[in-house]
Amino acid sequence: MKIATLNRGKETKYLNQYPLIDEEDIYQHDHLKEGDLVKIVTDQQQYIATGYVGRQHKGLGWVLSYDENEDINTQFFVKLFESALEEREYYFNIDGTNAFRLFNAEGDGVGGLTIDNYDSHLLIQWYSKGIYKFRYLIIEAIKTVFGYTSLYEKMRFKDTTYTGGFVDGEAPEFPITIEENFTFYNVDLEDGLMTGIFLDQKEVRKKLRDQFSEDRDVLNLFSYTGAFSVIAAQNARSTTSVDLANRSRGLTEENFGLNGIDPKSQYIYVMDTFDYYNYAARHGLQYETVVIDPPSFARNKKKTFSVQKDYGSLVKGALSVLAPEGSLLLCTNSSAFSLKAFKNVIKKTLDEEGVEFEIREVMGLPKDFKTHPHYKPSKYLKAVFIDIKH
């Protein structure tokens, strides 16, 4: 096993169980290759932790264990997976939901690795070349601990021509249908990096349906496959889904159909969000609830978008189509955008527009997306429900 020596004074955060190994904390790391197991030691050569090299989030790798005598083998992963499975027992025993996260990276003890369950079809996501080097051990441990119908994988790192696919079990015909909060969605585990739904938003979607949709016209921006629209439509007067991707229309229509909702009874636009604001304003369209859940970064022919730079203009545009006494659901999944900074952008924008508002609810990740107590970026999801007072 290789040695990674900390620069003097850098040991405190690792002694406090900070999981990401920062490159600048390590004295000479050129000799460390992706997938290497390393002993992290102080400049006095005192053992602190065992980690692996897997470059991600500006980090050199992740801590795996604080026991110098612990072997990183199949049994190591079996133990972690058994613990993760036990913590998700709730999700196996509730009605109306059969898709959730089984293992959540550093929250469950292995940064760079996630495992999702889509109605017994499992998806492994590898976030670095380093963690992928442990593939054989991890798949053996998955076979030991988790029951499944099929097993798939996706590569979430660059420098690979193989993007993922079928691993084991009985391959289904995609799309498969999963259930979440008594609502049905299509999922495809072989469709590039996306699957058709973001499982981390399950509780936010439920809150939208139960408290912010009743007899309302709901506008869903950056709608992707229409998940927010589909659940809102169960109570809403109407839903409008807007996304720039051409394929979003067909996928959204299919999800409506799965839930016995005629897609023709809802509105779907393939359009840039800012163009839609102008279109809606020109046609006098107003909505009692506006959902904004953009990607952290996007580029189209006309411009680039980043949440930290441009979120304020999204909120400002929403006000032009929001009905009096309307509500906003503002989301971001950017780990670089802290909740404090996000709320500051929202407050500054609404104050500048002279709008009175009340924050009704702030939501984060559901409990299957276990976070790490000493690593703030693991709490990446922020969803803020706001009532506008006029």
Side-chain angles (χ1 to χ4, degrees), residues 111-359:
L113 172 75
T114 65
I115 306 168
D116 291 318
N117 170 35
Y118 295 89
D119 190 19
S120 87
H121 300 279
L122 303 193
L123 174 67
I124 312 167
Q125 295 186 88
W126 312 95
Y127 283 83
S128 70
K129 204 180 274 186
I131 192 61
Y132 191 67
K133 294 279 174 76
F134 295 89
R135 181 179 185 270
Y136 175 78
L137 299 181
I138 287 168
I139 287 174
E140 284 305 299
I142 287 171
K143 288 178 179 177
T144 303
V145 177
F146 301 119
Y148 56 81
T149 303
S150 71
L151 184 61
Y152 283 79
E153 64 184 351
K154 288 185 191 292
M155 312 296 120
R156 306 291 304 213
F157 55 90
K158 291 171 184 152
D159 314 325
T160 176
T161 49
Y162 169 61
T163 56
F166 176 74
V167 177
D168 188 48
E170 295 170 38
E173 219 174 279
F174 289 114
I176 57 170
T177 301
I178 60 104
E179 188 177 11
E180 179 195 277
N181 296 314
F182 299 98
T183 307
F184 299 98
Y185 304 98
N186 273 338
V187 162
D188 187 342
L189 302 185
E190 289 192 306
D191 184 20
L193 289 180
M194 307 292 243
T195 65
I197 194 162
F198 297 110
L199 296 178
D200 53 4
Q201 291 274 28
K202 64 170 78 61
E203 288 177 3
V204 180
R205 281 189 281 271
K206 184 176 186 296
K207 177 76 68 177
L208 174 69
R209 176 189 66 195
D210 294 350
Q211 294 184 27
F212 293 87
S213 299
E214 190 79 43
D215 294 327
R216 295 186 184 202
D217 294 311
V218 176
L219 172 62
N220 177 19
L221 302 165
F222 305 95
S223 58
Y224 181 34
T225 61
F228 278 118
S229 306
V230 168
I231 198 164
Q234 294 166 21
N235 289 335
R237 192 183 306 121
S238 76
T239 68
T240 300
S241 306
V242 178
D243 197 286
L244 190 57
N246 268 315
R247 61 196 296 256
S248 66
R249 178 192 293 277
L251 295 169
T252 300
E253 287 175 344
E254 285 170 18
N255 278 337
F256 276 125
L258 284 178
N259 291 278
I261 299 164
D262 181 359
K264 292 188 178 65
S265 70
Q266 310 298 313
Y267 303 94
I268 302 170
Y269 293 87
V270 176
M271 212 172 198
D272 171 82
T273 289
F274 292 101
D275 290 344
Y276 186 77
Y277 283 152
N278 294 332
Y279 171 86
R282 276 200 316 274
H283 289 82
L285 302 175
Q286 285 199 318
Y287 304 90
E288 283 82 14
T289 298
V290 178
V291 179
I292 305 178
D293 185 19
S296 295
F297 181 82
R299 179 183 279 121
N300 66 29
K301 287 172 192 163
K302 290 194 245 173
K303 53 182 174 286
T304 58
F305 169 89
S306 81
V307 286
Q308 282 158 292
K309 181 171 61 74
D310 299 312
Y311 211 108
S313 54
L314 280 177
V315 175
K316 187 177 171 182
L319 295 176
S320 67
V321 297
L322 190 68
E325 312 284 314
S327 302
L328 300 172
L329 167 52
L330 307 176
C331 307
T332 177
N333 65 356
S334 170
S335 58
F337 204 0
S338 72
L339 177 59
K340 186 179 177 184
F342 186 44
K343 283 165 90 170
N344 282 344
V345 166
I346 295 167
K347 185 177 186 311
K348 183 170 181 278
T349 306
L350 295 177
D351 285 349
E352 282 174 359
E353 294 302 304
V355 170
E356 274 188 60
F357 66 96
E358 179 194 351
I359 293 180

Side-chain angles (χ1 to χ4, degrees), residues 4-7 10 13-14 18-29 32 40 52 54-63 374-375 377:
T5 304
L6 291 169
N7 290 317
K10 293 294 183 183
K13 70 182 185 187
Y14 298 101
Y18 185 79
L20 184 71
I21 306 165
D22 284 329
E23 254 178 273
E24 67 260 25
D25 292 349
I26 304 295
Y27 175 73
Q28 289 185 332
H29 48 72
L32 299 177
I40 301 163
Y52 79 91
R55 288 171 174 83
Q56 188 190 345
H57 298 323
K58 300 179 182 168
L60 178 67
W62 296 92
V63 171
H374 306 296
Y375 185 63

